Each structure stands twice: as structure tokens, then as C-alpha cells.
Amino acid sequence: LVGMVVAVSYLLWILAPTASAQDPDSQTSVATGPAPRLNGKPDLSGVWQVPYVPDMSVTQGDQRGTAELPFTPWGRENWESYDPADGDYTGSCMPFGLSRAMNAPYPFQIMQSDTYVTLLFELNTWFHVIPIDGRNQPEDANPTWFGHSVGRWDGDVLVVETVGFNGYTRLDTIGHPHSDELRLIQTFERIDAGHIEYTVTVDDPTAYTEPWTNERKFSLMDGELIEYSCEENNRSLWEGRIKQWFPPWFDGPR
């Protein structure tokens, strides 16, 4: 139990804003008026402050969760047996995955054109490119940490579907599971000059008996992203304070 508390505390620490991070209270814009438009579509561009969502099932602040998650037997066993002290992958500075990157308490930037929307995360300077040119998902997407996304406009709402996850990540800091069958559906609606309403729906028949959704709101920031670096050889691994993570298929020495 002590080890688990230490591990969770460390994972919360690496995600918590520091003195060098953007201060959302001083950086959040008071932009008012209607949402700007780009070639007839809402312009999502900007640097956005997001709420920290360590647990996607709860409702608090600017997020609304699904209180009782509809676990399958596999999902519940995975959730109840999860122990972050046993080498959580984020402690080894591996990619957090799309869901967990969106949940982090650090801002991200949206860059938009007629053919692409790109998410630039302050968190470890990761990026995610979303085609919005009408293409479909590939039949056999190469499994990756952040998955493969395509987007489309539904009126003034950008709908992004992501598949092709490698199954190594978790949905949030508290450790809600998913499999490589995960399909994330995100929506972005710029409701005015200063805010985006965002939803994410988790559809994973291996882990959950039905899809479930989390909702939240983003606020425009008057600032820029700053550098964030977390590397695989971080000091806590060297000194043995946390256990190194290994992918499920690894059968070498540990």
C-alpha cells in the first residue's frame, strides 16, 4: 500500500503545474464575442488551458464524468488489479497516449488549416496531426501510442475519431484501462471567442460493455507554450524510486 501511495504521488507530481509552468489564472484570456471563422468553419486555433482530469469518471469543476463505468469482466479485473507502483509507463516517461495527454493540466495549442488540425501539447512537446480532408481511416492502422485520427465537420462541431492504439496506455492518471480495440471520438465546438466545449467518448468493447463520455470546457490563453521534457532515463529511474515499465510482450531481464 505504501508503495502504491508513493507511486501515485509521483505520477501526480510529474503532472502537476510547477512554478515554471504557465499560470492559468494570469494567462487565461477574457476574449469575448463570437467564435472566429476560417473559410466558413469555426477557427479552433489558439493556445488552450484545459482542466486537469486525473479521473474521467467524476464530475467536478469544468468536467462532467460518468460515475459508474460499464466495465466488462476483463475491464474490471484490469482496473482492480492495476498497481501504479508496478512500473506505470508514465513514470518511465513513455508517451502518455492521446486520452491521458488531453487530460493533463498543461495547455495545448491547436493549429488549423483547410486540410489538417494539429494538436501541439506542452506536455513533453508531443504533437498529433488530424487530417480533415475527407479521408477515411486506413483499414489496418499501424498501432501507436496516440493512435491514428481523422476528423470531419458536423456543422460547426469538429468530430475526431481515433483508432489504432497499441494498448499500452491508460485513459487517465488514476489508471482506467483500455485495450488495443479502443476507439476515441472527440468533439470540439468553439462556442465563443474564449471557449471550446469538448467531449470524449470511450468505445472499447474489450474493456467496457457500452461507450461512455466525459465532457469539459477549454479556455483561451493569452500566452505561448513552454518547453517540457520528460525522458526515459529520468533521475527517479536511476535512483530506483520508481519501477521501470516494460511492454506486455517483453520477456527479458527486469
Side-chain angles (χ1 to χ4, degrees):
L1 178 59
V2 173
M4 183 172 182
V5 171
V6 171
V8 170
S9 298
Y10 174 77
L11 296 176
L12 292 174
W13 174 77
I14 65 174
L15 281 174
T18 66
S20 64
Q22 303 277 13
D23 179 355
D25 293 331
S26 64
Q27 299 276 345
T28 301
S29 172
V30 292
T32 59
R37 302 187 77 85
L38 177 67
N39 297 332
K41 297 297 183 183
D43 187 359
L44 303 175
S45 301
V47 177
W48 299 94
Q49 182 60 49
V50 299
Y52 180 30
V53 184
D55 183 349
M56 294 173 67
S57 70
V58 303
T59 295
Q60 61 183 17
D62 282 336
Q63 72 143 333
R64 294 182 295 279
T66 302
E68 295 294 330
L69 298 186
F71 289 113
T72 64
W74 180 94
R76 182 168 298 281
E77 192 281 330
N78 188 293
W79 163 240
E80 293 178 349
S81 64
Y82 170 62
D83 179 2
D86 190 27
D88 183 89
Y89 68 100
T90 61
S92 295
C93 294
M94 304 303 289
F96 282 23
L98 182 58
S99 175
R100 206 156 165 182
M102 294 296 296
N103 294 340
Y106 292 90
F108 74 99
Q109 184 170 356
I110 298 179
M111 301 184 70
Q112 180 178 331
S113 72
D114 289 339
T115 53
Y116 292 97
V117 168
T118 300
L119 310 181
L120 305 178
F121 295 97
E122 183 171 284
L123 181 66
N124 217 30
T125 60
W126 287 314
F127 67 90
H128 190 65
V129 179
I130 304 165
I132 55 171
D133 55 6
R135 73 182 68 180
N136 296 318
Q137 290 281 11
E139 291 186 6
D140 188 16
N142 183 43
T144 60
W145 295 88
F146 275 69
H148 185 279
S149 294
V150 294
R152 59 179 176 82
W153 289 102
D154 182 5
D156 284 348
V157 178
L158 178 66
V159 181
V160 178
E161 179 180 342
T162 309
V163 298
F165 294 96
N166 60 20
Y168 297 164
T169 66
R170 290 189 175 267
L171 295 173
D172 49 21
T173 307
I174 202 170
H176 286 121
H178 72 82
S179 74
D180 58 6
E181 289 192 273
L182 173 65
R183 184 170 68 105
L184 282 184
I185 302 96
Q186 302 174 90
T187 67
F188 299 78
E189 181 180 8
R190 191 164 186 174
I191 57 174
D192 56 36
H195 301 92
I196 287 177
E197 286 192 346
Y198 169 84
T199 73
V200 55
T201 298
V202 175
D203 184 359
D204 184 345
T206 297
Y208 305 97
T209 59
E210 61 185 14
W212 55 273
T213 299
N214 178 281
E215 305 173 14
R216 60 195 87 154
K217 183 181 290 187
F218 304 156
S219 298
L220 186 67
M221 292 184 62
D222 183 17
E224 304 292 338
L225 302 182
I226 61 176
E227 184 178 79
Y228 180 118
S229 180
C230 179
E231 308 300 335
E232 292 177 58
N233 59 347
N234 78 74
R235 183 174 177 179
S236 291
L237 284 174
W238 296 344
E239 297 178 350
R241 294 201 298 269
I242 59 175
K243 185 176 179 180
Q244 186 174 357
W245 174 85
F246 295 92
W249 49 262
F250 183 80
D251 60 1
R254 304 192 179 201

